[in-house]
Amino acid sequence: MALPRLTGALRSFSNVTKQDNYNEEVTDLQLKRSKLHEQTVGLDLTWMKIVKFLNEKLEKSEIQSVNEDLKDILQAAKQIVGTDNGKEAIESAAAFLFKTFHLKDSVGHKETKAIKQMFGPFPSSSATAACNATNRITSRFCKDSLTALVQMTTDEYGDRVLFGKNLAFSFDMHDLDHFDELPINGESQKTISLDYKKFLTDHFQEHSAPDLKPVEKANDSFLWCEVEKYLNATLNEMAEATRIEDLCCTLYDMLASVKSGDELQDELFELLGPDGLELIEKLLQNRITIVDRFLNSSNDHKLQALQDNCKKILGENAKPNYGCQVTIQSEQEKQLMKQYRREEKRIARREKKAGEDGEIAEGLLCFDPKELRIHREQALMNARNVPILSRQRDMDVEKIRYPHVYDSQAEAMRTSAFIAGAKMILPEGIQRENNKIYEEVKIPYSEPMPVGFEEKPVYIQDLDEIGQLAFKGMRRLNRIQSIVFETAYNTNENMLICAPTGAGKTNIAMLTVLHEIRQHFQQGVIRKNEFKIVYVAPMKALAAEMTNYFSKRLEPLGIIVKELTGDMQLSKSEILRTQMLVTTPEKWDVVTRKSVGDVALSQIVKLLILDEVHLLHEDRGPVLESIVARTLRQVESTQSMIRILGLSATLPNYLDVATFLHVNPFIGLFYFDGRFRPVPLGQTFLGVKSANKVQQLNNMDEVCYESVLKQVKAGHQF
């Protein structure tokens, strides 16, 4: 067996010499190493010692509840360490958590930093659970007993001599040549010890000391002095938790980057806050000087120590630069990482504020890096399926299928034949008539949409009492109303309904009105002063018709419906007594610009129904647009809930309108084409052939007269 290698310098200055008759077996050496490992582990607090201490000190009636708390600590340690590690690692982590929280009431900045340095990123809920369980256990003991538990192992093994502690050194064994350097570079000789336990103690104190002793104070370091002034002025109470070296390293890393002054100014403001404006100005003005001096100052002990600290911090996770390293990130990943950094800075500011107030707010560490990792993996999976060419990417976007969109034209455009360049033709069964004056093409009505397996009719008798009173006299809802029922009657989602004329959109509006009434139905009483419902009709005549319809339906519930237009003015008391207003876009635009009555009417509106939304493209479109924009702004500014329902007959760009109304296309967007008409509709196209304008008008009048006369004689409505 080869002798363990020792350096030549160690052999020169010690009594260690090579043994010629060394015949120890390999198993003996391994046995010694295992015993040394057991002794080293025994010096620290272990999970078995904690359990043994609790079993000895507590009564049998308390042991069962304490065991539950111990299980909670083990579960929290398992979540922090990870399920891949073994039982020994989990128990060691649990003992570390117990030792960290045994004298703490909550998870503070120091505890969070200690756990993060030991295990890396961790879920805050696990640390909170471990802290609470530890507090429940330690509440049964006094402070002296807990201190004795932590220091028990140190006292037990305090007299044992570790390997290397009693090793004697001698500098007189070999004579040094006069050309060689002195052992300690001419300085006063210091006592050198191989005591590993003392080394650990000194090292731990060096890195955990709250004061700034590791680096001497010098007046010729501009960056150090300015940072020290900033911390003394702003972080008096948090000085123990903040190291000047760390902040100097962060600032130097930012100043030495290739970013412009404007970009660097924004990042420095996010890091230092409003209190650091003066420091930011000085750093930007002396940026070049700081970087040059930092790199070239070899005699400055403070800068030298700061450089070493920067190298340690930046080198913890750095990889060896064997070649050019390239990191590829998608735009979504960049946004996620930027959001992660922004959340970390926000959490740091909250911790500072909580530390100044003397309280630790709950839920500070609510941003979980595991979620970011999941989002990144999902983004990478989606990126594999996205084609490179922009045209194909646009086609993939159009292939998104929404659950409640029944658009036969869009489905036809997704077929392979259309994408390959095939043209659309008229359907089968058309009739053509061609004469000298005109050409007539009759397109038969389309077949109705087959009923799906998930479609079930909604019967009125199955509704609650409010729904049965409002739909009294009806047996069940029609097909479109049954599809929309769940979203309209049981959710607060914004909705856009695009259905043919006569499909029953008014009853869909009634479903949303009943849902809002049910929201304010408590203990058999409708609290009428807590809500207002607004129905915006495009014309005054339609507003009067809707007022009569809703008044008749809502009369059993005691809901008052009034018309508010230019012809029908309401007093302040009438507005306060009214729960539903039917108005026009122009009138509601005026009302929302200025409050009506003592109470702002727009502030208590909970449901806004916009009929004929396709008028956005007409002359009155800007008025509707301003109403919607003002409502959405009110929702964002007051954080109140205002539901928006849009009703439209035919709307080709329904996705754009849904985005404008803040409608979730997977939940609140409903589009029904001509296949859902309650009465099938055929189409007839007449084309006049004459090229002369005057003759063309005469032929159009003649053809129109003949067509109307033919329909009237057949007994059809015109």
Side-chain angles (χ1 to χ4, degrees):
M1 174 183 177
L3 188 68
R5 186 180 62 83
L6 297 176
T7 61
L10 185 59
R11 295 184 184 278
S12 300
F13 299 105
S14 67
N15 294 325
V16 179
T17 57
K18 183 177 180 181
Q19 298 180 9
D20 297 331
N21 55 348
Y22 185 80
N23 297 320
E24 195 165 358
E25 297 294 336
V26 180
T27 55
D28 297 336
L29 185 59
Q30 293 178 352
L31 182 61
K32 290 182 178 179
R33 289 179 178 176
S34 62
K35 289 182 179 180
L36 181 61
H37 175 71
E38 292 176 359
Q39 293 178 3
T40 306
V41 173
L43 292 176
D44 200 1
L45 183 66
T46 61
W47 185 251
M48 296 301 297
K49 294 177 182 178
I50 296 174
V51 176
K52 182 179 179 181
F53 174 81
L54 296 176
N55 291 332
E56 293 176 354
K57 298 294 182 180
L58 295 176
E59 298 179 358
K60 293 183 178 180
S61 58
E62 299 178 346
I63 291 178
Q64 184 176 0
S65 60
V66 170
N67 288 336
E68 296 295 332
D69 296 332
L70 293 176
K71 291 180 181 178
D72 294 341
I73 299 177
L74 283 174
Q75 184 65 24
K78 186 176 181 180
Q79 294 177 358
I80 293 176
V81 176
T83 57
D84 299 336
N85 295 279
K87 181 180 178 181
E88 183 179 356
I90 295 175
E91 290 183 350
S92 300
F96 178 80
L97 293 176
F98 183 88
K99 185 176 180 181
T100 304
F101 296 123
H102 74 284
L103 295 178
K104 304 296 181 180
D105 296 332
S106 60
V107 183
H109 177 80
K110 292 183 179 178
E111 292 75 22
T112 302
K113 187 175 182 180
I115 298 175
K116 192 172 183 180
Q117 288 179 352
M118 179 64 69
F119 305 108
F122 64 95
S124 59
S125 58
S126 301
T128 305
C131 182
N132 295 334
T134 306
N135 290 334
R136 290 193 295 269
I137 295 175
T138 55
S139 62
R140 307 174 187 272
F141 302 94
C142 61
K143 185 176 181 180
D144 296 337
S145 301
L146 298 175
T147 307
L149 170 63
V150 176
Q151 296 180 352
M152 180 176 59
T153 54
T154 306
D155 297 337
E156 290 178 358
Y157 296 92
D159 298 334
R160 296 193 178 184
V161 179
L162 293 180
F163 174 77
K165 184 176 181 181
N166 57 351
L167 210 63
F169 288 87
S170 174
F171 293 93
D172 301 329
M173 292 192 62
H174 301 279
D175 294 332
L176 297 177
D177 192 82
H178 63 278
F179 292 104
D180 296 338
E181 296 181 356
L182 293 178
I184 318 182
N185 296 328
E187 299 179 359
S188 59
Q189 296 183 359
K190 299 180 181 179
T191 303
I192 300 176
S193 175
L194 292 182
D195 188 355
Y196 182 69
K197 182 179 178 181
K198 183 179 179 181
F199 169 75
L200 286 179
T201 305
D202 297 340
H203 185 72
F204 178 79
Q205 291 178 355
E206 177 184 355
H207 289 278
S208 62
D211 51 4
L212 303 176
K213 293 181 180 179
V215 181
E216 296 179 350
K217 183 176 180 182
N219 295 326
D220 54 348
S221 177
F222 175 78
L223 178 62
W224 183 276
C225 295
E226 294 298 330
V227 172
E228 190 175 17
K229 291 179 183 178
Y230 166 75
L231 292 178
N232 292 333
T234 59
L235 303 177
N236 292 329
E237 298 181 2
M238 296 294 291
E240 294 184 359
T242 307
R243 294 177 61 89
I244 298 182
E245 299 99 315
D246 297 340
L247 185 55
C248 287
C249 290
T250 305
L251 293 176
Y252 169 73
D253 189 25
M254 298 172 67
L255 294 174
S257 63
V258 296
K259 296 181 179 179
S260 62
D262 296 336
E263 297 177 351
L264 196 58
Q265 181 179 355
D266 296 338
E267 294 186 2
L268 289 173
F269 183 78
E270 291 183 2
L271 176 64
L272 302 176
D275 298 333
L277 291 176
E278 184 177 357
L279 177 60
I280 294 173
E281 182 179 0
K282 293 181 180 179
L283 292 177
L284 293 178
Q285 291 177 355
N286 302 277
R287 179 181 181 181
I288 300 177
T289 306
I290 292 173
V291 176
D292 293 341
R293 180 173 185 143
F294 191 89
L295 295 176
N296 299 328
S297 298
S298 59
N299 297 326
D300 192 347
H301 299 289
K302 178 183 297 184
L303 289 179
Q304 188 67 29
L306 191 57
Q307 289 176 2
D308 297 338
N309 196 7
C310 284
K311 293 178 181 179
K312 291 180 181 178
I313 295 176
L314 299 176
E316 288 179 355
N317 298 322
K319 297 180 180 179
N321 295 323
Y322 295 123
C324 181
Q325 298 180 2
V326 180
T327 302
I328 301 176
Q329 285 184 330
S330 65
E331 191 65 28
Q332 186 177 5
E333 292 173 354
K334 293 180 180 178
Q335 296 296 330
L336 289 174
M337 294 305 299
K338 187 180 296 183
Q339 182 183 2
Y340 175 62
R341 291 192 295 269
R342 192 180 300 116
E343 288 290 337
E344 282 189 336
K345 294 174 183 176
R346 186 180 295 112
I347 290 171
R349 289 195 295 268
R350 289 179 182 175
E351 289 180 349
K352 292 178 184 177
K353 184 177 179 181
E356 293 173 359
D357 297 339
E359 298 177 357
I360 301 297
E362 296 181 359
L364 291 179
L365 300 176
C366 57
F367 197 79
D368 191 0
K370 291 184 178 179
E371 296 182 2
L372 276 180
R373 192 177 298 110
I374 294 174
H375 288 315
R376 180 179 180 182
E377 293 176 356
Q378 186 66 30
L380 292 175
M381 293 296 295
N382 295 335
R384 294 179 180 177
N385 301 325
V386 176
I388 300 177
L389 299 179
S390 59
R391 181 178 178 183
Q392 295 180 1
R393 186 181 295 113
D394 296 339
M395 294 300 297
D396 287 344
V397 172
E398 294 179 358
K399 287 182 180 179
I400 299 177
R401 294 184 178 274
Y402 301 104
H404 308 299
V405 173
Y406 304 92
D407 190 355
S408 58
Q409 183 178 2
E411 293 176 359
M413 294 176 64
R414 295 192 190 100
T415 58
S416 58
F418 180 81
I419 296 175
K423 296 182 180 180
M424 289 188 178
I425 60 175
L426 294 174
E428 297 180 355
I430 64 172
Q431 298 178 5
R432 290 179 179 271
E433 181 181 350
N434 196 354
N435 52 38
K436 296 180 180 181
I437 300 177
Y438 64 90
E439 180 181 1
E440 181 180 5
V441 178
K442 294 182 179 181
I443 302 177
Y445 61 87
S446 57
E447 295 294 331
M449 179 75 178
V451 180
F453 293 102
E454 69 280 359
E455 295 183 21
K456 294 182 180 179
V458 177
Y459 292 91
I460 303 302
Q461 62 182 3
D462 297 335
L463 302 181
D464 53 16
E465 184 179 359
I466 294 179
Q468 293 180 10
L469 290 175
F471 289 106
K472 187 177 181 181
M474 295 178 57
R475 179 172 172 268
R476 66 180 179 88
L477 302 179
N478 64 14
R479 185 180 179 185
I480 294 178
Q481 296 163 2
S482 299
I483 295 175
V484 179
F485 172 78
E486 185 62 31
T487 305
Y489 197 69
N490 294 321
T491 66
N492 284 321
E493 290 286 339
N494 292 350
M495 298 178 64
L496 175 62
I497 311 296
C498 302
T501 305
K505 295 189 292 295
T506 306
N507 281 343
I508 296 177
M510 176 62 72
L511 291 175
T512 59
V513 171
L514 295 178
H515 171 72
E516 189 60 40
I517 295 174
R518 290 166 61 228
Q519 295 288 99
H520 303 277
F521 183 74
Q522 299 177 0
Q523 299 178 355
V525 178
I526 300 175
R527 301 186 181 275
K528 302 178 183 179
N529 58 343
E530 294 181 354
F531 68 96
K532 286 285 189 293
I533 301 172
V534 178
Y535 187 100
V536 180
M539 297 177 293
K540 296 179 181 179
L542 185 58
E545 181 182 349
M546 290 295 102
T547 303
N548 296 332
Y549 174 80
F550 285 109
S551 298
K552 181 180 178 182
R553 289 291 183 186
L554 298 176
E555 183 179 2
L557 300 175
I559 302 298
I560 300 176
V561 184
K562 293 289 186 179
E563 178 184 352
L564 180 62
T565 58
D567 299 336
M568 298 292 294
Q569 298 292 338
L570 297 178
S571 62
K572 297 179 181 179
S573 60
E574 288 178 334
I575 291 177
L576 292 176
R577 291 195 305 267
T578 304
Q579 286 77 48
M580 184 173 181
L581 295 173
V582 182
T583 181
T584 56
E586 291 78 11
K587 184 64 177 179
W588 186 245
D589 184 29
V590 175
V591 170
T592 52
R593 288 178 186 271
K594 185 178 180 181
S595 301
V596 177
D598 297 334
V599 181
L601 179 60
S602 60
Q603 299 297 324
I604 57 176
V605 172
K606 302 298 181 183
L607 175 61
L608 178 63
I609 303 174
L610 303 175
D611 198 0
E612 308 295 341
V613 184
H614 56 269
L615 294 178
L616 282 168
H617 186 59
E618 304 297 333
D619 296 336
R620 304 167 74 182
V623 181
L624 277 176
E625 185 176 351
S626 63
I627 291 174
V628 175
R630 198 174 297 121
T631 303
L632 295 176
R633 179 180 177 85
Q634 180 181 341
V635 171
E636 295 176 355
S637 60
T638 63
Q639 295 298 314
S640 59
M641 178 61 199
I642 301 179
R643 188 180 189 183
I644 300 178
L645 171 65
L647 304 176
S648 176
T650 55
L651 202 60
N653 56 335
Y654 47 85
L655 286 176
D656 298 333
V657 179
T659 304
F660 172 66
L661 298 179
H662 285 207
V663 175
N664 187 345
F666 293 95
I667 301 177
L669 175 59
F670 293 85
Y671 181 86
F672 305 95
D673 56 10
R675 297 173 294 176
F676 286 85
R677 285 184 177 273
V679 178
L681 180 65
Q683 301 178 25
T684 301
F685 295 91
L686 296 172
V688 180
K689 296 182 177 180
S690 177
N692 189 356
K693 295 294 182 181
V694 179
Q695 186 65 29
Q696 191 178 53
L697 292 175
N698 293 332
N699 292 342
M700 288 177 61
D701 293 340
E702 182 179 354
V703 170
C704 182
Y705 175 77
E706 291 179 356
S707 299
V708 172
L709 183 62
K710 183 177 179 181
Q711 295 293 330
V712 171
K713 288 183 178 180
H716 296 164
Q717 185 180 3
F718 183 80

